Amino acid sequence: MTSAPAPAPADAAARVEQLLAPPTVVAARSRAVAAAHASAALVGHSERSWVLAAELGRREGVAFDPELLYAASLLHDLGLVASFDSHEVAFERAGGDVARVFAAGAGWDDDRQRRLGEVVVRHMWPAVSAELDAEGHLLERATSLDVSGVGGDDWEPAFVAALVERVPRTGFAAEFGVAIAAQAHRKPATEAGRAVRSGITRRLAENPLDRLGGVPLDRLGG
């Protein structure tokens, strides 16, 4: 189901607005599921991750399935929320299982259900090759920027600034930092544990996306 996206507008803000529209009815349902269970800050992270991933695919010529990538982006952190948190299973694997249930309910076949779960799990890998998994590759790089500020040079600065203005990061760094630390404490052998040991909480606090224009965006509006 890989398909070419619509031609991207030249203006960064217009490209962001175009990408924020779910590409299919099923994609829109995945956003509704995320919004029903996750906080506004986590849904915003998921939307920014999708927009960044899709724009990266366009810029680098990586062919991807828009519906699959959108659903994975919107559902990828549901393993962190109270409804689906597991005390034994890594949060990305719990989230992948939730995503597979969603895909089954959407009528996707077994292979497509499995692919959605794989993309969600792989977003926590240190790296994912595009040859192995195009959607996993794009989502891993997008979440790395939105969480840790890694790889910002891979996007146009004007595009990233327009995205953060349109989908503010208010409260995200603090909330995600608490959530990932809790995962690492309970499940130190998982990727969350590795991320905390490698300094993810510091990178969250220092993410340059929160200081676009010289103003920490978490302080706006309150």
Side-chain angles (χ1 to χ4, degrees), residues 77-214:
D77 275 343
L78 282 187
L80 292 174
V81 307
S83 299
F84 307 113
D85 187 11
S86 168
H87 280 259
E88 297 181 358
V89 178
F91 86 87
E92 68 273 18
R93 189 160 297 281
D97 290 344
V98 173
R100 289 194 64 159
V101 172
F102 168 83
W108 290 7
D109 63 26
D110 288 346
D111 285 344
R112 195 162 172 77
Q113 293 172 34
R114 174 185 54 79
R115 281 291 299 122
L116 183 61
E118 285 176 344
V119 177
V120 170
V121 169
R122 289 170 179 167
H123 92 273
M124 281 296 289
W125 286 13
V128 183
S129 74
E131 292 74 23
L132 171 68
D133 182 346
E135 292 78 18
H137 171 79
L138 295 171
L139 184 58
E140 183 275 321
R141 288 174 66 189
T143 56
S144 292
L145 175 61
D146 201 59
V147 170
S148 299
V150 174
D153 290 344
D154 296 332
W155 288 265
E156 296 173 11
F159 180 85
V160 177
L163 173 60
V164 171
E165 181 177 4
R166 178 64 175 79
V167 187
R169 296 171 56 81
T170 308
F172 170 65
E175 180 179 324
F176 191 84
V178 169
I180 201 74
Q183 294 289 319
H185 176 72
R186 288 190 274 117
K187 296 168 276 188
T190 64
E191 289 297 322
R194 175 195 61 78
V196 168
R197 290 190 295 274
S198 71
I200 193 172
T201 52
R202 173 185 53 79
R203 294 192 299 274
L204 274 161
E206 297 175 355
N207 192 325
L209 299 194
D210 285 329
R211 292 163 181 83
L212 290 175

Side-chain angles (χ1 to χ4, degrees), residues 6-86:
D11 176 73
R15 294 205 309 275
V16 167
E17 203 63 38
Q18 180 188 64
L19 286 170
L20 282 171
T24 67
V25 171
V26 171
R29 290 174 183 161
S30 72
R31 189 195 185 285
V33 168
H37 295 281
S39 68
L42 206 58
V43 173
H45 162 63
S46 298
E47 288 194 304
R48 289 190 303 275
S49 297
W50 148 252
V51 171
L52 290 167
E55 175 70 0
L56 185 65
R58 182 191 71 83
R59 280 173 58 82
E60 297 191 350
V62 177
F64 64 90
D65 179 328
E67 182 180 66
L68 178 65
L69 181 56
Y70 185 98
S73 299
L74 269 292
L75 302 175
H76 79 275
D77 275 343
L78 282 187
L80 292 174
V81 307
S83 299
F84 307 113
D85 187 11
S86 168

